[in-house]
Amino acid sequence: MSEQDWRAIRAEAIESLLVERGLLDPADVDRVIETYNDRVGPMNGARMVARAWCDPDFKARLLADGTAAMAEFDFGGAQTEKLVVVENTPDTHNVVVCTLCSCYPWAVLGLPPRWYKDPAYRSRIVREPRRVLAEFGLVLDDDVRVRVWDSSAEVRYLVLPRRPADADGLDEAALAQRVTRDAMIGVAQP
Ligand code: FE
């Protein structure tokens, strides 16, 4: 049995116990899962990125104070954490990790991918970021500086990717479709 299966069984056992003792309403659990599956996800971050690409004033606000800029949208989910947005430029590429555990900006990216929580990613992206990025299929030129941002319970990071060169003429909604979760973590380019 895989570790994931064990975790699922353990979570179910804990849930049953809590329900049995009247401490938890199963409907609450369903509501949380539904929220993060359907209403909170990378599409939220993608909307912010697309707006930043289209609206220089919004971009300035986003980079100055990500938490405040996020509040301009009607995103659901946990938003109490501080969000810092870091911009990719022709000479700097940003990538996000949580070396300690798996801190992640849920409100704008939804649930973290499995590899983000993997100890190998968490340690290697700091020691050999170019190599790890290449394994994701992102090969950077030698003159591009890589900055690795370590998330914590207090500060969560989001990468503002570079606008794709072939995206001229696309409106904000169409641009948002081009922005992927991985691009906002910094392991891909849109
Ligand atoms: Fe963490």
Side-chain angles (χ1 to χ4, degrees):
M1 194 179 284
S2 75
E3 204 197 321
Q4 193 173 16
D5 293 336
W6 278 116
R7 282 190 192 159
I9 289 168
R10 187 175 58 190
E12 258 175 57
I14 293 171
E15 184 184 340
S16 316
L17 270 174
L18 291 171
V19 170
E20 204 177 287
R21 299 192 181 179
L23 297 170
L24 182 71
D25 180 348
D28 288 338
V29 178
D30 291 343
R31 210 170 300 125
V32 169
I33 292 172
E34 191 194 303
T35 297
Y36 281 95
N37 273 340
D38 303 336
R39 293 200 295 116
V40 183
M43 62 282 202
N44 285 352
R47 283 174 61 200
M48 293 206 305
V49 168
R51 184 162 304 171
W53 283 343
C54 296
D55 176 350
D57 291 338
F58 176 74
K59 180 179 162 182
R61 292 199 296 279
L62 185 67
L63 294 173
D65 184 344
T67 318
M70 184 167 66
E72 296 179 30
F73 292 80
D74 55 349
F75 301 152
Q79 301 198 357
T80 46
E81 75 261 22
K82 180 174 164 60
L83 181 71
V84 172
V85 179
V86 288
E87 182 186 16
N88 285 349
T89 63
D91 54 14
T92 303
H93 180 87
N94 298 285
V95 61
V96 179
V97 66
C98 172
T99 55
L100 195 65
C101 44
S102 58
C103 299
Y104 191 73
W106 285 35
V108 283
L109 289 186
L111 300 172
R114 223 168 136 59
W115 55 259
Y116 186 84
K117 301 183 260 184
D118 188 332
Y121 173 77
R122 286 158 37 206
S123 57
R124 290 185 59 226
I125 194 71
V126 178
R127 289 200 313 270
E128 43 181 10
R130 284 173 186 280
R131 199 159 157 193
V132 175
L133 291 176
E135 289 167 17
F136 275 97
L138 179 59
V139 179
L140 297 167
D141 289 342
D142 287 342
D143 57 352
V144 175
R145 185 170 67 128
V146 181
R147 294 195 68 178
V148 181
W149 299 85
D150 193 2
S151 306
S152 68
E154 285 79 36
V155 184
R156 316 283 168 112
Y157 296 95
L158 182 83
V159 175
L160 174 58
R162 294 174 64 198
R163 186 184 167 128
D166 63 349
D168 283 350
L170 295 183
D171 66 8
E172 200 177 304
L175 281 170
Q177 301 285 330
R178 299 284 298 271
V179 184
T180 62
R181 174 197 72 196
D182 287 3
M184 293 180 282
I185 303 175
V187 297
Q189 236 144 224

